[in-house]
Amino acid sequence: MTTRRNELPPDHRSGGRRALRWSAVAAVAAGTLAVPATAYALPPHPFGPPAVTIGCANQGSLMSLTGATGQSGPEQTPPIGPGEIRFESFPAAPPIPAAGQVTVAWVNLDTGATGVAALEGAYPYYSKTVYTGQGNVRATVFGTIDLWSLPLCQSNPTFGNFIV
């Protein structure tokens, strides 16, 4: 004669399910210990809206947009150390000016550290990794743009907040 499932005592009914759950938990724990975790930084975080670039009489337009991002470390590619932020600028909308100077100014609100750095690279893609220290960092990116023989135009500031 077979026993019905409902006739089993309460502590025996879910024994198989309980063992299955514990096996799954043990497998996940063993997998976590066997495969070392790799630390990845957050992806680049955009500054506020793209910076309006005005006064550039390039390709029939007096306005363009310049975008900017900040990425805190640590990160392997591109190399960003702990306490550092990599700032980048790039064209957000055409027309793309010929050359320029883009600058970032930042303040660490937790430590009081400040700095100003010129972004480097091949225009229109500039970048610079700066040591800001750990904390809440506010930054602004601004610049001037050179258009061959035409007058200089200006990339208005845009602001961002970053956690390092």
Side-chain angles (χ1 to χ4, degrees), residues 42 71-73 81-85 87 106-113 130-139 160-164:
L42 293 173
Q71 181 178 9
S72 58
E84 293 181 336
I85 299 178
F87 295 105
W106 57 270
V107 60
N108 187 321
L109 300 176
D110 294 336
T111 65
V130 297
Y131 181 80
T132 61
Q134 301 288 329
N136 187 10
V137 175
R138 295 259 169 92
N161 188 41
F162 307 94
I163 305 297
V164 182

Side-chain angles (χ1 to χ4, degrees), residues 1 16 29 33 35 47 51 88 92 110 113 115 128-129 133:
M1 179 166 162
L33 294 174
V35 179
F47 276 70
E88 295 183 355
D110 294 336
K128 177 90 173 187
T129 301

Side-chain angles (χ1 to χ4, degrees), residues 26-40:
V28 170
T32 303
L33 294 174
V35 179
T38 305
Y40 290 102

Side-chain angles (χ1 to χ4, degrees), residues 19-35:
L20 184 61
R21 285 185 195 139
W22 280 108
S23 298
V25 169
V28 170
T32 303
L33 294 174
V35 179

